[in-house]
């Protein structure tokens, strides 16, 4: 029996101890009429058979050159990261409820909190949320709780924020009658302007969300936007790409007072693309609103002998203590992936992360030049970007992308799916993993698709 | 020592970043970072050594028996991990075109089908990222159901008092009020109280069966009809699915919607806190509301072709709850587990986890420990109460737990469910051999003896861990939530 | 600097402590004129670049269906094996010279010794040799030392023994003027017969080597051969495939007295094909000649407090103690691979190993049937085999194999390379990893090659 | 506890073997096994837990500073391990056709070229499986060389007394007599003695430079010419290559043949005893005798095509020394390391390993420890002698070493080379940071103090390991080399 160690003899002697005749007897409190019948599922197979099946299926999706970003990025992941993360002691531990038997996990989380707080220049971080999109929902809920000056259940959300995040967040918060109010973007710059916000001045909103870079890769005027929001009684929720923080001003330093909450998708920090998960959402905030933060938080303390140690803290915010009054229902988070990011950040350091960011940025610029050198291809927006770019094609982006895919190049995403007005537009990125040959191959393939 | 304390300005793991720098000149000064982030500057070996040594400060399934009740700490097959780490799976972008995703999509489709079959539900969506998000999806669907019938009066979710904290927290996140239903002294829902509570405001009842008391809710069908008759729906918290997998299907007990903690019942690693995966299964009534994305299968020229189902296919969906496809890698691991177990293995999960729990319960009872529900069968877990030890010897459930660590066993869940005083919720799971269970009970007996002879010693446990008992009060009072360069120098 | 942690400041303060001005000063005892110039090798690259290069090169050799055996076999390796073996504590430890800090490795070796001794039904095992071929050389040398009754420096070696082993062993022992004397095989049976040995009766040989199964997969009459050797004053060296030992009589039980030494290639026990290494050679022997055994041996003992522990023992046989009088020059052995085999054997157990052996055997039989159903293809020998088979083709085996390779089927090895008399003969095996579809694909490809 | 003691008849890791049995009927009864082998019968989880926990009883580079002299315990890049474990490499059969081996062969070819360049040799064969087999190959080539010149008189190999045990053992395996050359008090070969020893029986001299005394042999060129003038050849034991990599090439010192311990200098993991790889490099005179297989490169239609060179290409070869291609996977790891270091990194190996050793030596000296060769530069390693501690305090080199374990540092090499009494051979390697070196020296200072204050305590060390000091005498007297069912029950 797969994974069950019992021998016939074991079973017999255990049943004897219990004082029943058969395993079935142990289920005698269950009404007979609801006992399960045979399942119509495949018979069990061996590890060997399954590994072959999985290898064949994985191979079917392989050997592509991927230029899709849109919130999930192909970065080099040092071999050490997942080798260490896959150690049984990290991989197969539960939540560190018994602190003394979980100092490894606990210290890792404390270091993770430090990394994220220092990267974002915020005061504190939690121990991870599920992912970027659901993290934005938590941030909105948190802002509504935390903004004592506002009674609003509305949050301003520029359309330049990742549409998948907006969709996810909406689906989560709408059950509490919370509204995410769209703010349109400047068609030329691809950014959120103060003009477009003017109309909301005087109205009560709990928060303004600002994505930097935004979904188009475009850089927002985060300082002005932050100050505007604060001036209008809103908190600022920053949505940031952690890789970018090696180069870009961190949320904690936006404008006069800095953002109040910073969230984002942790995937770029050592987490494989892996079809979208497990990733992790990070959330950081100002110290004064830490008690509104969702999720686990680890604190440093001492033991009976005065020795440094780590433990779960501020648990009174959490569901297992506060139940219906908790800051969130989150329990299981993304611990292992968060551990991977902690090792990744240690391996890269601030300087290494800068090099990654620079090289991604340069590759995307390079590719942008190559692609726009093709007749009829142009960049869609005129403002500075970080490591991602939108181009407009002289043909339907959906069909061009399909043809590129046949050449095993995943050229980006069809923006018109999310923004009907951005017809023929493609959002792409070229990270540090791409060589010049890769970029040229994309250019050639696109040229030939467009020529055909 | 923290990694930052091993840091030296200018040190780097050279080989891990690109070797050449390309100065960025096209970003306005005002948007750039001014001071580099205070992160560790260390060598690759320092990193490997630091985190390898940290890992050694953990208990885990791979190193210890870990009978943490409600958490189902069973063996996490190494093959599942390996198969999810095949480069082709790791490298697939979540927005890759369907034509280049058939391998991944077929795994997801197959998993949906298996989960449907073993839960007796009509539809499965894999996307929720943990149990709590599965609950959220479920309750949000209940809401969508009532809303679609313009039944806006239903504002309450009923929850037994022994329920896990995520249940009430979830109900609130879905905009509901929570009404607690008491649990009687046998661990069953107080039927009378339930009957009194249900009514036109009842949107639904969230419960798990077996309950968190480790006993099977015998009146489940009556509970179901009570709620259904009042127009409410029945939510199954799948955290305890391991107790019944292969023996009873939640669908057959009358549940309308449920989540499964794949990181429990389907043996995906818990990773020191996560990730999990909390797929939901629904009965007929909630099919139209399932969260996206879901994988569908078409037949094109006699060949199976898989594709994403979204708003177009499920117009009443509650929508996506994650940026992409939830914890896809966890789902691959669960799929591996499901296929290895297969038809026969699936039935054995409940059988052997129940056998182990009843055996341990009997041994505990024989050793003089007090069972919370002595007349009842254990399910996959059971509760003992140490309240007499607390009263007579001054050694409480936490002291006992800490001392157990010294014997090399992870402690059971303590103080949950809250209604049993000084309780231990013990869940051995089916993958442990009887020798391991015996060893645990013997350690308990030793601690009992130690408590009788030298309570002070037990109360100051643990002794063999990397730290002694930690000061939680200080941790909460003098918040120290991150290292910062200033603080240390 | 890759893998070097020193900052400029570190270097400066270290040089200060030492009392020199520069690192170059530390080399002032080396004659200036032999200092190295610049190397003409590629510049350093990053892990990301190297992983890509290696992945591309590995891919070039992939996607083949391999039916080659000839001493190295494709078996399913449980994922747990290399996951656990790759833990830093096993992977990056040195030889367990400090026993108290190496109990992990030491106990593993003790368990390994137990596994091999019990599989072969011999008294003792060492902690591994390099591989099967060099192991046979060590066994020959050991037999010469151990056979007190013989003064001979000659060992009888049937030609049915793996020719690569014979070649390797010859190259090693010939330096000591030791001769490996060929014994021819029966052309019909593909085995070593008592007849062919008769001519050596009365002559002084230190040992007879017996391979079971032999290189052709054919089963030798090990009982008769063993008794013959003993009757003629020779020791018996068994060369065995460990997988086969789940089914076949173990060397310790051959004939009346059993073999004296058993060696073999450990690769089938959880070790990837990996282009030929690292594998490991195992060697087991009778207790009475253990002091002639080469390589490390671990013993069980107790510590100061009477607690069980493990330590290197009988070191007086080894080069670091006995130097020129050591039983061998071996120092570094194949520890990690031996560890993998120990985990593999624990996962399979005797019953699991049996299932592996049975399924390999069955698949080979099945394939043999399929192939010989093709016109003109026949088995070359008529005696029973284990999990490997020789067929004779109606065409040049070299060119047929080449054409099969074009269809990405590695059909076996061309036996005529090693045995000119076995023209058009191919040695193949189909292990448990092969499905029926794989076998049929081979058959179809062969049929089509032969038809063309 | 041994795995066998966790065994239960009939238990199995089901998923790891084929699920169906096919009874074998075509093998004669007399050739079949009668009683199944006494192996453990355990579950997959038991196996994972058992060996995971065993691993935790080891010191290793990934967890500790491990300054084992002569063993070059430097960081073993995880990337090297991963790249050698790419399925395409793992799955390649050693006898796969060359047309489907170009990826692997090109790596081997590139590695040969790099090793040639950094050693200053004319040819490299990768096939020896460890240092000792490299030595064997080298000395066998020396023999082949003399034999081919019909110079059969040369029956002796000269070896400095400080040499590693493999050197004399190898010489004997190659059919030579060994003649020891004394080492003087500065750690240099006694030149006068060497000159007296060389003669027409001299086949060659085996030595390493820097010597095992941790000092550079300053008269290397005179030694070389002495041996060469007498018609002998010069063998370089590459165990100490780390000390000179990038600074001096053995080829330029006059060596005719050498091996490299890739598991030392090229950072491939030592695996608790192996595997290693001991490629050999040769000068012009020995090129015709190199062991096979070697990888050659042809140009076909302007494309590089790699192929095996064998007896046909190298008719005077000493032949193959392994069944296939030696420790191919280790060679891949070394290739990874060589490429990451590259041209610049290669030079830094000697520089920084030497810097670390000299720094530690100075700190030891300052702390009052006695250096074996006080007037000399350390190379990549250095020796201290604890003979005054042994004499005055009764605490010897082994006691000191055992106590060091309690401080979390692996002990240096003790009692080697034999000519220095109570010696510690300390090799920090270039991958350790100064903080680690400082920590080690501070532990030494503490142990010195402990020895002065409480020698008995130190002599009974270690205390913090999983076992206390082991009884080696019992181990050798009452041989217990395997578990057997009878013995235990
Ligand atoms: C009974 C019960 N319900 C719900 C949950 C929540 O599941 P998750 O932690 O996956 O969010 C848990 C997990 O601890 C549980 O034990
Ligand atoms: C100086 C010296 N020579 C030779 C060897 C032998 O090398 P190997 O262990 O790789 O056979 C060693 C290794 O310990 C050594 O230190």
């Amino acid at each position: 029996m797969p994974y069950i160690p019992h021998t016939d003899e074991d079973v017999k002697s255990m049943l004897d101890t219990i004082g029943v005749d058969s395993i079935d007897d142990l289920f005698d409190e269950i009404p007979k009429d609801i006992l399960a019948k045979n399942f119509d599922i495949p018979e069990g197979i061996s590890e060997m058979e399954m590994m072959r099946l999985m290898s064949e299926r994985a191979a079917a999706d392989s050997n592509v050159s991927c230029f899709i970003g849109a919130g999930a990025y192909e970065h080099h992941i040092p071999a050490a990261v997942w080798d260490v993360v896959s150690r049984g002691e990290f991989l197969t531990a539960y939540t560190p409820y018994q602190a003394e038997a979980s100092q490894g996990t606990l210290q890792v989380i404390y270091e993770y909190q430090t990394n994220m707080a220092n990267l974002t220049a915020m005061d504190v971080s939690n121990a991870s949320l599920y992912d970027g999109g659901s993290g934005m929902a938590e941030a909105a809920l948190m802002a509504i709780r935390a903004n004592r000056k506002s009674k609003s259940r509305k949050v301003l959300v520029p359309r330049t924020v990742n549409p998948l995040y907006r969709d996810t967040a909406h689906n989560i918060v709408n059950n509490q009658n919370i509204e995410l109010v769209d703010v349109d973007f400047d068609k030329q710059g691809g950014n959120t302007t103060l003009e477009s916000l003017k109309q909301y001045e005087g109205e009560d909103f709990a928060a303004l969300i600002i994505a930097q870079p935004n979904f188009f890769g475009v850089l927002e005027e985060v300082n002005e936007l932050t100050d505007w929001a604060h001036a209008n009684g809103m908190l600022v929720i920053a949505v940031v790409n952690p890789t970018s923080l090696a180069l870009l001003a961190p949320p904690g330093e936006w404008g006069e007072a800095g953002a109040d909450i910073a969230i984002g998708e942790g995937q770029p920090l050592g987490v494989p693309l892996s079809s979208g998960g497990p990733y992790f959402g990070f959330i950081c905030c100002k110290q004064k609103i830490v008690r509104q933060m969702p999720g686990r938080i680890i604190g440093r303390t001492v033991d009976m002998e005065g020795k440094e140690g780590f433990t779960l803290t501020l648990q009174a915010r959490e569901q297992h203590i506060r139940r219906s009054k908790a800051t969130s229902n989150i329990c299981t988070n993304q611990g292992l992936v968060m551990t991977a990011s902690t090792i990744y950040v240690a391996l890269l350091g601030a300087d290494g992360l800068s090099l990654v960011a620079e090289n991604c940025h340069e590759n995307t610029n390079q590719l942008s030049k190559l692609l726009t050198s093709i007749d009829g291809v142009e960049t869609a927006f005129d403002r500075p970007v970080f490591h991602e770019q939108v181009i407009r094609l002289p043909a339907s982006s959906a069909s061009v992308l399909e043809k590129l895919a046949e050449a095993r190049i995943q050229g980006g995403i069809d923006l018109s799916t999310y923004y009907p007005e951005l017809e023929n537009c493609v959002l792409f990125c070229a990270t540090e993993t791409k060589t010049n040959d890769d970029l040229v191959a994309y250019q050639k393939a696109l040229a030939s698709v467009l020529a055909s | 020592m923290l990694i930052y304390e091993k840091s030296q300005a200018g040190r780097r793991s050279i080989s891990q970043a690109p070797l050449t720098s390309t100065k960025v000149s096209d970003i306005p000064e005002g948007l750039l970072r001014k001071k580099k982030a205070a992160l560790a500057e260390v060598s690759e070996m320092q990193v490997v050594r630091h985190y390898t040594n940290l890992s050694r400060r953990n208990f885990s399934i791979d190193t210890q028996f870990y009978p943490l009740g409600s958490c189902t700490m069973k063996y996490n097959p190494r093959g599942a991990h390996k198969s999810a780490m095949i480069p082709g799976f790791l490298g697939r972008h979540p927005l890759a075109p369907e034509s280049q995703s058939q391998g991944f999509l077929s795994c997801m489709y197959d998993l949906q089908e298996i989960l449907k079959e073993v839960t007796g539900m009509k539809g499965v969506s894999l996307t929720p990222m943990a149990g709590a998000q599965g609950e959220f999806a479920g309750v949000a669907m209940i809401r969508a159901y009532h809303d679609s019938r313009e039944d806006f009066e239903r504002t309450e979710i009923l929850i037994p008092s022994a329920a896990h904290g995520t249940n009430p927290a979830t109900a609130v996140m879905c905009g509901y009020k929570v009404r607690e239903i008491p649990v009687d002294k046998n661990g069953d829902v107080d039927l009378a109280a339930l009957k009194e509570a249900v009514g036109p405001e009842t949107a639904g009842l969230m419960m798990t069966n077996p309950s968190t008391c480790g006993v099977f809710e015998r009146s489940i069908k009556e509970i179901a009809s009570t709620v259904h008759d009042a127009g409410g729906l029945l939510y199954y918290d799948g955290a305890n699915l391991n107790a019944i997998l292969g023996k009873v299907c939640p669908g057959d007990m009358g549940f309308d919607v449920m989540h499964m903690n794949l990181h429990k019942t389907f043996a995906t690693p818990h990773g020191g806190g996560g990730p999990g995966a909390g797929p939901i299964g629904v009965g007929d009534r909630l099919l139209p509301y399932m969260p996206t994305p879901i994988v569908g299968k078409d037949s094109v020229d006699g060949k199976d072709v898989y594709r994403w189902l979204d708003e177009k296919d499920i117009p009443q969906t509650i929508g996506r709850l994650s940026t992409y496809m939830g914890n896809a890698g966890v789902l691959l691991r669960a799929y591996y587990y499901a296929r290895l177990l297969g038809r026969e293995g699936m039935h054995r999960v409940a059988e052997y986890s129940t056998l182990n729990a009843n055996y341990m319960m009997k041994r505990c009872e024989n050793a003089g420990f007090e069972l919370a529900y002595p007349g009842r069968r254990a399910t996959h877990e059971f509760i003992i109460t140490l309240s007499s030890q607390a009263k007579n010897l001054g050694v409480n459930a936490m002291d006992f737990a800490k001392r157990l660590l010294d014997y090399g066993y992870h402690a059971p869940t303590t103080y949950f469910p809250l209604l049993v005083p000084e309780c231990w919720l013990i869940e051995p799971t089916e993958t442990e051999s009887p020798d391991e269970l015996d060893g645990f009970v013997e350690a308990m007996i030793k601690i009992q003896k130690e408590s009788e002879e030298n309570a002070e010693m037990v109360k100051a446990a643990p002794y063999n861990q990397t730290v002694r008992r930690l000061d939680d009060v200080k941790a909460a009072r003098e918040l120290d939530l991150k290292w910062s360069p200033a603080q240390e120098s």
Side-chain angles (χ1 to χ4, degrees), chain A residues 256-324:
Chain A
E256 291 295 314
D260 303 280
I261 301 172
I263 69 110
E265 175 53 67
Q267 178 275 331
L269 301 177
V271 184
L273 285 172
S274 188
S275 290
Y279 295 173
F280 68 94
F282 60 87
I283 184 164
C284 299
C285 69
K286 294 259 163 81
Q287 178 86 34
K288 65 170 188 281
I289 54 176
V290 63
R291 285 184 164 74
Q292 296 306 334
M293 182 117 89
R296 269 172 226 138
I297 299 178
I298 303 315
R300 177 154 63 163
T301 184
V302 295
D303 74 2
M304 290 170 54
E305 295 172 348
K307 194 174 162 190
E308 174 177 289
F310 303 87
T311 188
L312 292 165
T313 193
L314 293 179
Q315 295 185 66
R317 301 163 298 105
E318 289 188 77
Q319 46 72 31
H320 63 283
I321 305 285
R322 199 58 135 257
R323 303 178 70 84
S324 64

Side-chain angles (χ1 to χ4, degrees), chain A residues 1 3 5-6 14 17 24-25 27-29 33-37 39-45 47 57 61-62 68-72 76 78 86-94 98 100-105 107 110-111 113-115 118-119 122-123 130-131 133 168 171-172 175-176 223 245 247-249 273-278 299-305 307 310-311 313 319 323-324 329 332-334 336 347 351 358-359 361 365 405 410, chain B residues 1-4 13 16 18 20-23 26 30-33 36 38 50-51 54-55 57-62 66 71 73 76-78 81 88 90 92-93 100-104 106 110 117 129 132 136 143 163 165-166 170 173 218 221 247-248 269-275 318-324 326-327 329 335-336 339-340 342-344 347-348 354 356 362 376-377 402 430-431 466 468-472 476 480-483 487-488:
Chain A
M1 294 171 283
Y3 309 127
H6 301 67
M14 292 170 83
T17 301
D24 275 344
D25 288 354
F27 294 92
D28 55 11
E29 293 188 0
D33 57 333
I34 56 171
L35 287 179
K37 74 236 162 281
F39 294 141
D40 178 21
I41 62 171
E43 273 182 43
I45 60 179
E47 178 175 303
R57 290 188 177 182
D61 301 351
S62 301
I68 310 175
H76 167 64
S86 298
R87 287 173 58 85
E89 297 95 323
F90 280 140
L91 189 69
T92 72
Y94 206 80
Q98 293 293 340
E100 296 83 359
S102 314
Q103 286 297 299
T105 289
Q107 183 173 333
Y110 182 87
E111 294 187 3
Q113 290 173 180
T114 300
N115 289 345
N118 289 350
L119 261 175
M122 303 296 287
D123 298 327
Y130 300 134
D131 73 353
T168 303
N171 296 333
I172 293 172
N175 290 284
Q176 294 182 65
N223 299 314
L245 294 180
L247 291 184
L248 300 182
L273 285 172
S274 188
S275 290
R300 177 154 63 163
T301 184
V302 295
D303 74 2
M304 290 170 54
E305 295 172 348
K307 194 174 162 190
F310 303 87
T311 188
T313 193
Q319 46 72 31
R323 303 178 70 84
S324 64
N329 70 339
T332 288
N333 60 20
Q334 305 289 111
L336 193 74
L347 282 168
D351 293 330
E358 285 169 17
N359 278 272
H361 187 61
N365 278 348
Q410 298 177 347
Chain B
M1 211 164 42
L2 294 166
I3 188 87
Y4 315 101
S13 308
Q16 296 307 343
T20 50
S21 164
T22 54
K23 277 286 147 268
D26 52 353
L31 299 180
L32 290 175
R33 184 165 197 131
K36 81 178 184 189
H50 180 75
Y51 292 103
L54 279 189
S55 78
R57 295 167 155 240
N58 270 0
F59 276 32
S60 68
I61 266 293
D62 275 8
Y66 208 127
C71 298
M73 292 294 280
N76 303 152
R78 282 277 157 186
H81 186 56
L90 288 188
R92 186 184 162 274
H93 193 284
Q100 289 170 351
S101 306
Q102 292 296 303
F104 172 71
S106 62
D110 288 354
E117 180 68 13
M129 291 177 284
F136 180 92
R143 191 187 175 99
T166 49
T170 296
M173 278 188 81
R218 290 166 291 193
K221 295 175 81 179
K247 273 290 159 191
V248 200
H270 303 69
I318 59 163
R320 66 169 55 254
L321 300 176
S322 61
T323 315
Y324 306 108
N327 286 334
Y335 177 53
Y336 174 102
R339 290 299 304 271
L340 260 74
R343 191 188 304 149
E344 325 73 27
H347 290 290
R348 297 194 184 110
T354 301
N356 272 358
K362 193 62 174 189
R376 305 289 309 266
R377 291 270 183 242
K402 297 295 183 201
E430 71 278 14
T431 62
T466 53
R468 298 288 306 278
R469 213 179 286 195
L470 289 163
D471 187 342
D472 287 332
D480 174 355
L481 309 181
K482 71 155 197 252
W483 171 89
Q487 159 197 11
E488 305 288 319

Side-chain angles (χ1 to χ4, degrees), chain A residues 329, chain B residues 132-133 135-137 139 165-176 206:
Chain A
N329 70 339
Chain B
Q133 209 188 32
E135 295 174 27
F136 180 92
V139 178
T166 49
N167 296 8
T170 296
V172 169
M173 278 188 81
C174 288
Y176 283 112
M206 296 180 82

Side-chain angles (χ1 to χ4, degrees), chain B residues 262-403:
Chain B
L262 298 187
H263 47 300
K264 299 181 179 180
T265 311
F266 283 75
T268 70
H270 303 69
I280 53 91
V282 299
D284 287 323
R285 279 193 279 199
L286 296 186
L287 272 174
Y289 311 106
M290 286 205 291
T292 53
I294 296 178
V295 178
K297 182 166 84 169
D298 298 331
S299 186
V300 176
D301 303 336
K303 248 191 76 185
D304 292 337
V305 175
Y306 300 89
R307 66 180 181 89
W308 294 113
L309 303 183
D310 57 19
E311 288 75 4
K312 278 163 260 138
D313 306 280
I314 318 166
Q316 288 180 278
T317 173
I318 59 163
R320 66 169 55 254
L321 300 176
S322 61
T323 315
Y324 306 108
M325 174 51 191
N327 286 334
V330 178
L331 300 169
L332 286 173
R333 287 170 176 80
Y335 177 53
Y336 174 102
Y337 183 75
R339 290 299 304 271
L340 260 74
L341 255 50
R343 191 188 304 149
E344 325 73 27
M346 212 59 88
H347 290 290
R348 297 194 184 110
V349 171
E351 292 179 357
Y352 287 82
S353 59
T354 301
L355 175 65
N356 272 358
N358 278 282
Y359 173 74
M360 266 186 103
M361 182 170 83
K362 193 62 174 189
R363 288 224 46 197
C364 285
E365 190 178 18
N366 292 347
F369 289 96
E370 187 182 340
L371 304 182
Y373 303 105
R376 305 289 309 266
R377 291 270 183 242
T379 56
H380 65 316
E381 60 192 1
F382 66 99
I383 298 179
I384 64 168
T385 164
L386 296 160
S387 50
S388 88
Q389 282 86 342
K391 201 162 60 196
N392 303 330
L393 306 171
V395 177
N396 65 20
M398 186 57 76
D399 300 327
F400 242 79
K402 297 295 183 201
R403 183 63 183 148

